[in-house]
Amino acid sequence: MPAGAPPAIRKISEKYDKVFEVGCLEPQTDGPRANAAFVVLARNKELDGVLQSIKSIERHFNRWFNYPYVFLNDGDFNSTFKETVDNHTSGSVEFGKIDASMWGYPDWVDEKVAIEGIAKQGDQAIMYGGMQSYHHMCRFYSGFFYKHELLQKYEWYWRLEPEIKYFCDITYDPFIRMAEANKTYGFTIAVKELKETVPNIFRYASAYKRLNNLTSKGLWEMFLEDPPEDEKSSEKDDAKIKAPLPEEITKIEPGKGLLPEVDVDTMEGEKYNMCHFWSNFEIAKLDWFRSKEYEDFFNMMDRSGGFWMERVRMFFPTPQ
């Protein structure tokens, strides 16, 4: 490749799905708009980081599409924050407060035990694991943001975080394209999670799947480890080679007749491959969060204590 030439675009895997567009298009601004909004969870002290994010999303997308913003805070936004944000957005802006029922420790949890669990994660140097506010945020975005009164009128949401940057223009409307393709959830990146951050999340997800007799429509397998090739074929190969030894021999042969070693990370013969979505860049249909299935799953995960004793950021696999 000659010096100074742009790098080649690596094709994105289409094993599970494919992107809507590759490269940049002319802005498609003459079409309909979705019933959608950006949702930003922030505090007054994060104003500089919020402005960075607004400038980026306006520059690369919203100057053409003018979608509204909903800002949420567990405290009160001050006038400086509100006025500054209003001056930098092309769409309308609403500011809301999160009440105690959606933030903090619920009345059924032992707060002392929860705080000790969070402190332990800090001692283990788990990133953000020792911050109570981070755990409150994860729980809020997992089971409450879509219940906030300011979100009730919307069908779609785009999560926007402080201190982020977009590097490419988004010249089509992802809300409209997702609706046209019957999509429910969109993400930017899926990476490997650290095992020590969520040691039990797969156990509960697998248990929910089993208890509710759910069958995979394809996405569940994205989160499973492939068994090693030698394990797949060993039992078949052994059966072809010879028949099992008589019981009187196996009883005296060391190691024979013992139960196989149990893999503590395996559930129903399946093992989590630690793949997870970075939900801080997600776009989703809010009806999915509001469904009974999702609510039941959240309640089970909530009662498990994972939002305190682990660094759980919940995701319920959906077929779209």
Side-chain angles (χ1 to χ4, degrees):
M1 184 173 66
I9 298 177
R10 181 171 63 88
K11 184 175 175 57
I12 298 174
S13 171
E14 297 181 358
K15 180 178 179 181
Y16 297 101
D17 207 345
K18 60 182 179 180
V19 298
F20 291 131
E21 300 290 348
V22 177
C24 288
L25 307 173
E26 286 298 314
Q28 304 166 11
T29 60
D30 56 349
R33 296 293 185 267
N35 180 16
F38 294 104
V39 175
V40 187
L41 180 63
R43 290 173 171 153
N44 294 314
K45 65 182 181 181
E46 296 177 286
L47 179 57
D48 289 343
V50 167
L51 288 181
Q52 174 181 310
S53 301
I54 290 175
K55 290 176 181 178
S56 183
I57 196 65
E58 287 288 338
R59 162 65 181 83
H60 292 290
F61 172 76
N62 210 42
R63 62 181 171 134
W64 298 302
F65 296 95
N66 309 127
Y67 276 105
Y69 293 78
V70 174
F71 282 83
L72 300 176
N73 185 353
D74 63 315
D76 294 309
F77 286 112
N78 60 36
S79 58
T80 301
F81 188 99
K82 292 180 180 180
E83 292 170 5
T84 306
V85 165
D86 273 329
N87 290 334
H88 287 81
T89 52
S90 61
S92 61
V93 184
E94 291 184 285
F95 299 92
K97 186 174 181 179
I98 305 166
D99 63 39
S101 67
M102 296 183 177
W103 193 268
Y105 301 101
D107 54 12
W108 49 262
V109 78
D110 187 326
E111 187 170 331
K112 182 179 179 181
V113 172
I115 292 174
E116 288 177 352
I118 293 171
K120 182 179 179 181
Q121 293 169 66
D123 293 341
Q124 294 173 329
I126 293 174
M127 185 177 292
Y128 308 123
M131 298 172 58
Q132 293 186 51
S133 61
Y134 183 84
H135 290 266
H136 296 328
M137 178 274 293
C138 290
R139 184 170 180 264
F140 174 74
Y141 265 129
S142 294
F144 295 100
F145 83 94
Y146 50 90
K147 299 173 184 174
H148 194 280
E149 60 181 355
L150 293 182
L151 270 294
Q152 295 309 301
K153 59 180 172 285
Y154 293 112
E155 183 181 1
W156 295 87
Y157 105 109
W158 184 330
R159 181 170 165 181
L160 191 65
E161 293 285 306
E163 295 187 48
I164 59 95
K165 291 181 180 180
Y166 286 85
F167 294 95
C168 298
D169 287 346
I170 306 169
T171 54
Y172 65 90
D173 189 331
F175 298 117
I176 296 296
R177 297 295 290 273
M178 287 179 70
E180 291 174 346
N182 194 29
K183 300 296 182 183
T184 301
Y185 184 85
F187 63 97
T188 300
I189 187 172
V191 295
K192 290 275 190 177
E193 180 61 284
L194 300 175
K195 184 177 179 181
E196 59 269 22
T197 64
V198 286
N200 294 298
I201 190 172
F202 184 70
R203 292 188 178 93
Y204 284 100
S206 181
Y208 179 87
K209 178 173 176 286
R210 181 183 70 252
L211 292 172
N212 290 277
N213 297 313
L214 300 178
T215 56
S216 172
K217 296 184 179 180
L219 187 58
W220 179 258
E221 286 72 24
M222 179 178 172
F223 299 93
L224 302 180
E225 273 193 6
D226 291 327
E229 288 297 325
D230 55 347
E231 288 185 14
K232 294 179 184 178
S233 58
S234 61
E235 292 185 4
K236 294 180 181 179
D237 293 342
D238 288 345
K240 292 177 181 178
I241 295 172
K242 59 182 179 181
L245 293 171
E247 185 179 355
E248 59 268 22
I249 296 178
T250 60
K251 280 184 176 180
I252 61 173
E253 186 175 349
K256 289 291 184 179
L258 300 177
L259 291 173
E261 186 176 343
V262 176
D263 186 341
V264 297
D265 295 321
T266 298
M267 290 289 292
E268 305 292 317
E270 299 173 332
K271 189 172 182 179
Y272 181 32
N273 61 13
M274 305 310 296
C275 176
H276 78 294
F277 298 133
W278 271 9
S279 58
N280 47 334
F281 289 92
E282 70 189 5
I283 299 176
K285 193 171 185 179
L286 290 168
D287 284 351
W288 171 63
F289 287 103
R290 295 165 180 150
S291 67
K292 180 182 183 302
E293 293 81 4
Y294 184 89
E295 186 68 16
D296 289 346
F297 183 56
F298 168 74
N299 286 332
M300 185 184 76
M301 299 298 290
D302 197 23
R303 292 282 176 169
S304 76
F307 288 108
W308 323 116
M309 311 311 290
E310 303 179 19
R311 202 188 68 179
V312 165
R313 291 172 292 176
M314 200 183 82
F315 175 74
F316 180 56
T318 171
Q320 288 106 12

